[in-house]
Each structure stands twice: as structure tokens, then as C-alpha cells.
Amino acid sequence: ESWSKSLDKITFFTRLERQILSGKKTATIRDKSESHYYPGQVVEAFTHEDERKICRLEIVDVENVEFEKLCRKHAKAENLPFVFMLKWLLRKIYPTESSLCFVSFKVVG
């Protein structure tokens, strides 16, 4: 067992970097394969395209959410003005997924 604490990581599209750093985007919606995060966990955020470090995030909350139940709260946390835009974007990434995971976070470093 290694004694150096390995920080978990999470990736975001490069175009979201500024929204995360400015505090406008405070959550991400992922599928079951990325539902292992937990409140209080500190993760390193990287760009999806080129693995560049963005910042360090603390996971604030993790909740399961059904696709049909997505609402304005979720869209706002994703820095989107409308729920239909959120659903449209999610369908491009997860075409058939009905159970998703709403992961809220804050920048800590």
C-alpha cells in the first residue's frame, strides 16, 4: 500500500474550464460508471481532450437523479439557462441512460 495519498481525478471538456474556475459551473452530471465520487472527497480536475490540470475540486454532494426528473436546479448548476438544453447535451453524451448522477463541487485549489 502506498502512503502517498493519491488524489482521484475527474475530467471536463476544455470549453468548460473557465466556467468551473469562475464558479459559474458548480456541478456535473455523469452516468453510473462515474458515480463513485463522495462528499468531502478532493479530486484533481483535468481537461478531457489533453489531460491538462484545471484545478482541485472538493465534492460537495452526490445524488442519483432520473433523466426525466432533471430540473432548473440541475441546469443552473451546470451553468445552462434551460433544462431542455441540459437534456439535449446529456443525450449527446449518454443517448440511452435514464439513471444519472448529479455531482456538485467547489474549487478548492
Side-chain angles (χ1 to χ4, degrees), residues 3-99:
W3 290 105
S4 68
K5 186 171 183 272
S6 76
L7 289 168
D8 286 295
K9 66 185 259 195
I10 190 167
T11 60
F12 294 93
F13 293 119
T14 303
R15 63 185 163 76
L16 300 172
E17 179 176 7
R18 203 172 272 126
Q19 296 177 46
I20 293 165
L21 292 173
S22 69
K24 287 190 174 88
K25 180 179 170 67
T26 59
T28 182
I29 297 174
R30 306 291 170 110
D31 69 356
K32 284 277 190 283
S33 72
E34 284 193 83
S35 63
H36 58 276
Y37 299 106
Y38 56 89
Q41 181 182 22
V42 175
V43 296
E44 300 281 354
F46 291 89
T47 55
H48 176 71
E49 294 87 344
D50 57 3
E51 288 284 308
R52 189 170 39 78
K53 185 175 169 184
I54 300 172
C55 64
R56 187 172 284 182
L57 298 173
E58 181 183 327
I59 305 300
V60 175
D61 194 25
V62 179
E63 60 181 271
N64 292 318
V65 62
E66 295 300 309
F67 184 81
E68 308 80 59
K69 299 246 169 74
L70 288 168
C71 66
R72 173 127 181 78
K73 173 188 94 165
H74 302 113
K76 196 168 162 21
E78 282 267 21
N79 198 31
L80 291 166
F82 303 109
V83 178
F84 80 85
M85 290 173 80
L86 175 62
K87 289 185 170 183
W88 180 80
L89 283 166
L90 285 169
R91 275 296 168 247
K92 288 175 70 173
I93 304 167
Y94 309 118
T96 59
E97 201 62 56
S98 61
S99 278

